[in-house]
């Protein structure tokens, strides 16, 4: 039986555009795919539209969204460490390399005990799912059995995900290092086989995928990277995840160890940069590296919370976008101290504003006039619920020779851009943009049912839907559209798991406040 949802819908379209549809109708097949969408249906014409699609009321489950609720695509976390969740919020006074040695590696080493993994990982997966993450790129520890536990739990939860076991046989603590290249490769292949043998979803396709996970360049010998490269080249559809240019000391150490001019060059040397490679952080990438990454088609997981918390810096997301690099968001738990992509949205906004302020402070003082950029990204037309965000940047050549920014460089990220990074942008980084990230016919229905109803959610930060207090006039099409865009913004900046009623993957509810699994 199909399920048809009727009510407000937020649907991202691009970095600069999303649809706000107060009266949308979405039909989801029993397999969890979107059968059809009608963007604007008056309630009085609902039965007529259903009849046009051969949907009798007895043949469907019709879900009416309440006032103060809306649907949006599920959040995509392109980078997190499941084995670091027990370390949340600890060690922020240190920078990356010291933090790894003093906090992270000891935490991950505990997963040698499979019984501990069985106790810890259920809470990890449940917290991430209930935070609204419908698709997640997980790093496990270096332990095969513990990572199999993680994979089985993610699979049982019904989350769309990539799970990898860390490869790390160099520059690691004696009690947390793989003893040989052979063991690293063998256990990696064993994990791949385990994941691939798990049952497929009802839609006939797997939701869980293996991912090749060299932790970062300095943790892998050249021999190990060579072997991993061979695995990747034999399996062109196999995704790859690793870290890049997170911390200045890490960058310099990488270039020294691999005798390369850049961090990206070290990976490219082993053919590990390709269209299904997910590169976490990219804080200190040079423009030449951005060009190379874009040429290879790789994506960057922007992890602003972690980058602030460990004093790593601020990734130049606008410049990455201007160079054609795919960008999504990542929590990078436990460098990031929250399992929620909503926190990343908030900190991505702050980081972009700080970069814009810094750029304005450094603006050259030449005699030629420069038109002021519209950095807010909030200008533009508003038609049929569509918000078009037009960016205007200085295009003239400066006499002092300073290169002028492109469309997004040194601009603060708009609501449309933040929404895109958390959904469709992340889907692109994972090479899943044809299946998830937005609501389109034949795509999978991965969604959140969000509520900003104050009476239901109990979130004091959200000044949301409260008609007894706020409703002073009748609802018009224009006011409904304005309310929806405001609800979205309030959710992105003030919301949390209390505002997420349902987490839906492939049409099936797997988490959220309304989710009550059978004992």
């Amino acid at each position: 039986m199909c399920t048809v949802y009727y009510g407000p819908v937020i649907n991202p379209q691009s970095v600069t555009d999303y649809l706000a549809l107060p009266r949308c109708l979405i039909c989801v097949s029993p397999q969890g795919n979107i059968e059809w969408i009608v963007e604007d249906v008056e309630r009085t014409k609902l039965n007529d539209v259903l009849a046009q699609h051969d949907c009798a009321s007895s043949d469907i489950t019709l879900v009416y969204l309440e006032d103060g609720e809306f649907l949006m695509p599920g959040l995509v976390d392109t980078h997190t460490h499941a084995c670091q969740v027990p370390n949340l919020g600890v060690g922020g006074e240190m920078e990356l390399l010291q933090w790894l040695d003093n906090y992270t590696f000891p935490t991950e080493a505990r997963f040698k005990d499979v019984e501990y993994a069985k106790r810890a990982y259920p809470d990890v997966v449940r917290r991430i799912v209930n935070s609204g993450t419908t698709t997640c790129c997980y790093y496990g520890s270096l332990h095969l059995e513990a990572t199999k536990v993680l994979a089985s739990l993610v699979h049982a939860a019904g989350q769309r995900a990539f799970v990898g076991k860390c490869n790390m046989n160099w520059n690691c603590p004696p009690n947390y290092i793989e003893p040989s290249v052979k063991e690293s490769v063998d256990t990696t292949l064993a994990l791949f086989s385990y994941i691939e043998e798990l049952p497929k979803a009802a839609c006939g396709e797997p939701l869980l995928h293996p991912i090749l996970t060299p932790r970062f360049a300095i943790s892998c010998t050249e021999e190990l990277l060579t072997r991993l490269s061979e695995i990747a080249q034999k399996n062109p559809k196999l995704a790859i995840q690793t870290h890049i240019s997170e911390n200045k000391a890490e960058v310099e150490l990488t270039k020294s160890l691999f005798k390369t001019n850049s961090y990206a060059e070290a990976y490219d040397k082993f053919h590990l940069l390709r269209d299904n490679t997910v590169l976490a952080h990219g804080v200190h990438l040079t423009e030449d590296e951005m060009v190379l990454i874009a040429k290879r088609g790789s994506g960057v997981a922007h992890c602003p919370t972690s980058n602030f918390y460990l004093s790593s810096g601020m990734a130049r997301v606008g410049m990455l976008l201007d160079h054609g690099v795919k960008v999504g968001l990542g929590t990078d738990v436990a460098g990031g101290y929250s399992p929620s992509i909503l926190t990343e949205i908030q900190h991505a906004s702050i980081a972009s504003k700080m970069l814009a302020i810094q750029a304005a402070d450094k603006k050259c003082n030449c005699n030629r006039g420069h038109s002021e950029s519209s950095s807010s990204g909030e200008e533009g037309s508003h038609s049929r619920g569509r918000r078009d965000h037009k960016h205007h940047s200085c295009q003239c050549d400066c006499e002092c020779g300073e290169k002028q920014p492109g469309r997004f460089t040194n601009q603060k990220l708009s609501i449309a851009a933040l929404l895109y990074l958390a959904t469709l942008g992340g889907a692109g980084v994972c090479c899943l943009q044809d299946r998830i990230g937005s609501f389109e016919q034949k795509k999978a229905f991965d969604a959140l049912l969000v509520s900003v109803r104050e009476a239901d959610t109990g979130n004091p930060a959200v000044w949301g839907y409260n008609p007894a207090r706020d409703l002073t006039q009748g609802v018009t099409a224009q006011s409904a559209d304005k309310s929806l865009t405001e609800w979205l913004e309030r959710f992105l900046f003030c919301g949390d798991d209390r505002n997420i009623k349902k987490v839906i993957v492939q049409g099936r509810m797997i988490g959220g406040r309304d989710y009550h699994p059978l004992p």
Side-chain angles (χ1 to χ4, degrees):
M1 180 178 290
C2 290
T3 302
V4 179
Y5 294 87
Y6 178 67
V9 168
I10 295 291
N11 196 7
Q13 304 292 294
S14 69
V15 183
T16 59
D17 181 28
Y18 70 93
L19 299 179
L21 307 168
R23 304 177 300 187
C24 186
L25 200 60
I26 301 180
C27 179
V28 181
S29 73
Q31 293 75 36
N33 295 316
I34 298 173
E35 291 277 317
W36 47 264
I37 301 175
V38 181
E39 293 183 347
D40 188 20
V41 180
E42 293 181 18
R43 185 136 188 175
T44 56
K45 298 180 180 178
L46 187 57
N47 289 333
D48 293 339
V49 174
L50 290 173
Q52 291 170 12
H53 289 87
D54 297 322
C55 291
S57 58
S58 59
D59 297 332
I60 63 171
T61 299
L62 186 57
V63 179
Y64 290 95
L65 273 63
E66 297 186 58
D67 292 334
E69 295 179 350
F70 63 89
L71 286 170
M72 63 174 286
L75 303 174
V76 180
D77 188 345
T78 59
H79 179 68
T80 201
H81 295 263
C83 50
Q84 292 180 21
V85 172
N87 196 41
L88 277 171
V90 178
E93 75 279 4
M94 295 184 177
E95 292 192 12
L96 174 66
L97 298 181
Q98 295 74 31
W99 175 77
L100 288 171
D101 288 336
N102 287 277
Y103 290 98
T104 305
F105 289 151
T107 298
E108 293 188 19
R110 295 185 64 187
F111 285 86
K112 180 179 181 180
D113 179 358
V114 180
E115 295 305 313
Y116 175 68
K118 291 177 180 178
R119 295 193 303 272
Y121 276 146
D123 285 346
V124 170
V125 175
R126 181 47 46 200
R127 293 180 189 206
I128 292 173
V129 168
N130 284 342
S131 295
T133 300
T134 53
T135 298
C136 191
C137 295
Y138 287 103
Y139 282 60
S141 62
L142 61 76
H143 310 104
L144 171 61
E145 295 305 319
T147 309
K148 286 164 68 174
V149 170
L150 172 63
S152 65
L153 288 165
V154 171
H155 178 267
Q159 188 183 35
R160 195 181 302 275
F162 298 81
V163 173
K165 183 201 76 66
C166 277
N167 302 106
M168 41 192 293
N169 73 331
W170 196 28
N171 297 314
C172 299
N175 68 329
Y176 191 56
I177 188 170
E178 293 179 305
S180 68
V181 169
K182 184 178 186 304
E183 178 162 324
S184 182
V185 170
D186 287 350
T187 52
T188 295
L189 294 176
L191 177 66
F192 291 176
S193 296
Y194 178 81
I195 291 174
E196 289 167 351
E197 290 170 3
L198 291 171
K200 294 180 180 180
C203 61
E205 65 184 65
L207 300 181
L208 178 63
H209 305 275
I211 186 167
L212 194 66
T213 309
R215 187 184 193 108
F216 54 171
I218 62 178
S219 71
C220 300
T221 61
E222 293 204 9
E223 182 185 0
L224 178 55
L225 289 175
T226 298
R227 289 300 313 280
L228 297 179
S229 173
E230 292 170 355
I231 294 171
Q233 290 181 70
K234 290 178 182 177
N235 299 275
K237 293 185 179 180
L238 175 65
I240 303 168
Q241 63 181 358
T242 189
H243 298 76
I244 193 168
S245 298
E246 178 177 358
N247 171 280
K248 288 183 178 180
E250 170 212 12
V251 172
E252 293 307 314
L253 180 57
T254 300
K255 292 192 295 184
S256 173
L257 290 172
F258 289 91
K259 306 295 188 294
T260 57
N261 294 318
S262 72
Y263 204 138
E265 190 178 309
Y267 288 132
D268 198 47
K269 176 180 177 182
F270 295 96
H271 309 288
L272 293 173
L273 295 182
R274 61 189 195 186
D275 66 347
N276 52 2
T277 298
V278 182
L279 301 167
H281 300 287
V283 175
H284 303 288
L285 290 171
T286 65
E287 289 200 59
D288 286 344
E289 288 179 292
M290 293 180 190
V291 170
L292 174 60
I293 291 168
K295 182 178 180 180
R296 298 290 184 256
S298 304
V300 169
H302 178 38
C303 308
T305 304
S306 173
N307 297 338
F308 282 132
Y309 188 62
L310 297 179
S311 304
S312 299
M314 296 178 292
R316 297 177 291 177
V317 172
M319 187 175 291
L320 286 166
L321 293 171
D322 280 335
H323 280 88
V325 177
K326 300 181 294 186
V327 183
L329 296 179
T331 56
D332 189 36
V333 168
Y337 49 74
S338 168
S340 174
I341 285 293
L342 293 175
T343 306
E344 302 310 316
I345 289 171
Q346 295 150 23
H347 289 155
S349 176
I350 293 170
S352 70
K353 290 171 182 175
M354 290 304 301
L355 288 169
I357 291 169
Q358 290 177 353
D361 289 343
K362 295 178 181 177
K363 188 175 180 181
C364 58
N365 192 25
C366 67
N367 292 326
R368 294 183 64 178
H370 287 187
S371 62
E372 287 295 322
S373 298
S374 172
S375 61
S376 70
E378 298 299 330
E379 294 184 50
S381 63
H382 181 64
S383 174
R384 197 175 51 81
R386 180 181 293 272
R387 295 185 63 83
D388 295 305
H389 302 275
K390 297 179 180 178
H391 298 252
H392 306 280
S393 57
C394 177
Q395 301 297 326
C396 62
D397 295 324
C398 187
E399 289 181 347
C400 67
E402 182 174 319
K403 187 175 180 180
Q404 296 305 311
R407 189 179 185 191
F408 301 108
T409 300
N410 296 331
Q411 306 296 312
K412 58 187 179 183
L413 295 170
S414 67
I415 297 300
L418 294 166
L419 175 67
Y420 173 86
L421 294 177
T423 55
L424 195 53
V429 169
C430 298
C431 293
L432 293 174
Q433 68 277 5
D434 293 334
R435 292 295 292 143
I436 62 166
S438 63
F439 298 134
E440 296 179 31
Q441 189 178 19
K442 297 184 179 180
K443 276 193 173 185
F445 188 67
D446 286 15
L448 304 183
L449 199 165
V450 176
S451 174
V452 292
R453 295 169 61 88
E454 290 187 18
D456 301 336
T457 63
N459 182 352
V462 174
W463 188 272
Y465 179 78
N466 187 335
R469 179 192 62 209
D470 299 328
L471 191 59
T472 58
Q473 59 185 5
V475 177
T476 64
Q478 184 176 7
S479 66
D481 183 66
K482 181 176 184 291
S483 294
L484 179 53
T485 58
E486 288 183 354
W487 292 348
L488 171 65
E489 193 166 356
R490 291 179 193 275
F491 173 63
L492 296 183
F493 285 93
C494 305
D496 58 29
D497 59 298
R498 288 170 291 186
N499 299 101
I500 300 173
K501 291 188 67 176
K502 300 179 189 295
V503 179
I504 301 168
V505 172
Q506 199 66 48
R508 184 169 73 92
M509 180 167 62
I510 68 166
R513 281 189 13 248
D514 287 357
Y515 179 69
H516 303 291
L518 296 174

